[in-house]
Amino acid sequence: MTLRSEILVNKNVLPTAEQALPGRETPMSLPEFHYVFEGTPLLGPFFEGAIDFAIFGLGCFWGAERRFWQREGVVSTVVGYAGGFTPNPTYEEVCSGLTGHTEVVLVVFDKDKVSYRELLAMFWELHNPTQGMRQGNDIGTQYRSAIYCTSPQQLDEAKASRDAFQAELGKAGFGAITTEIDQAPTVYFAEAYHQQYLAKNPEGYCGIGGTGVCLPPSLQGN
């Protein structure tokens, strides 16, 4: 059995750059406008508000994206793949375990209406960040927990919130957080049908489920 076929069997193993699929140069074609925020460009430009970007991986991106677009102050959301090696992968390639990517939500938000710390609180409380290469019954490297930061300040805030949430998880009997926290890599956008999927398919699958543990109030505000 080759290394590549072993990875195909065990999707909890991240591939090396040499083992990863080659991908392609052409990015996915996306709709011009957000399906939920009518008239709002999916990827901008955004002319109003103090706009910033956050990137979170917390399991299947369908349910995660819906929770973020429901948050007041969020201007747009886009789902995609990040943290791996394969450029412009397809959904099927990511699911194979041979790209190294995890499913992520790019959150565009107005800092005057919602803070990054408030979004971090949502991130931690919406999933179980102690499970490694899975989220509930969704198993594989593409479901691992991740925060990809777009500035040094975001990186500092993400690490501080992780330490605080770890303390609360420990009190509740949970293990160590396995969330990957790093500077933002390239986000490769997912296929058009994945964008705002649960708005188009309200009865579709949603794997979102937290631990019931909350961040301390002092770390949930501005």
Side-chain angles (χ1 to χ4, degrees):
M1 181 179 289
T2 66
L3 280 174
R4 177 163 290 188
S5 61
E6 287 175 3
I7 295 173
L8 279 168
V9 171
N10 184 1
K11 294 184 181 180
N12 286 331
V13 177
L14 282 167
T16 65
E18 292 72 27
Q19 294 164 343
L21 296 172
R24 56 201 50 79
E25 295 182 3
T26 305
M28 296 296 171
S29 296
L30 295 180
E32 183 178 358
F33 297 103
H34 197 280
Y35 187 83
V36 176
F37 303 139
E38 294 183 7
T40 298
L42 189 68
L43 297 174
F46 305 102
F47 298 110
E48 297 181 4
I51 299 301
D52 204 351
F53 302 85
I55 305 167
F56 299 119
L58 54 158
C60 177
F61 50 25
W62 291 347
E65 185 188 21
R66 177 167 64 180
R67 295 301 294 267
F68 282 108
W69 84 52
Q70 291 172 339
R71 181 64 186 249
E72 183 179 359
V74 170
V75 175
S76 186
T77 54
V78 190
V79 297
Y81 317 111
F85 304 105
T86 302
N88 300 301
T90 66
Y91 179 68
E92 289 74 17
E93 288 172 342
V94 173
C95 289
S96 77
L98 289 173
T99 70
H101 292 299
T102 189
E103 296 185 17
V104 298
V105 182
L106 172 66
V107 181
V108 186
F109 63 102
D110 183 343
K111 294 188 293 183
D112 290 336
K113 296 180 179 178
V114 62
S115 69
Y116 185 63
R117 290 172 67 181
E118 289 172 310
L119 296 178
L120 283 170
M122 287 184 64
F123 166 82
W124 294 118
E125 294 170 11
L126 284 173
H127 77 302
N128 182 342
T130 70
Q131 298 183 96
M133 302 297 182
R134 67 181 299 165
Q135 197 57 218
N137 292 326
D138 294 329
I139 299 173
T141 53
Q142 77 267 29
Y143 300 115
R144 71 187 186 273
S145 177
I147 304 172
Y148 296 126
C149 304
T150 62
S151 69
Q153 180 179 350
Q154 281 194 3
L155 189 63
D156 290 343
E157 291 186 5
K159 290 179 177 179
S161 69
R162 175 199 59 197
D163 295 344
F165 198 60
Q166 181 67 76
E168 299 304 310
L169 285 172
K171 295 174 187 177
F174 288 92
I177 287 173
T178 58
T179 302
E180 178 183 345
I181 300 177
D182 206 346
Q183 294 286 358
T186 301
V187 176
Y188 298 103
F189 299 125
E191 295 86 339
Y193 76 91
H194 286 299
Q195 306 301 332
Q196 299 86 62
Y197 181 86
L198 289 181
K200 305 167 188 173
N201 304 275
E203 302 303 318
Y205 173 76
C206 176
I208 287 295
T211 60
V213 176
C214 298
L215 267 177
S218 61
L219 286 175
Q220 293 196 31
N222 292 303

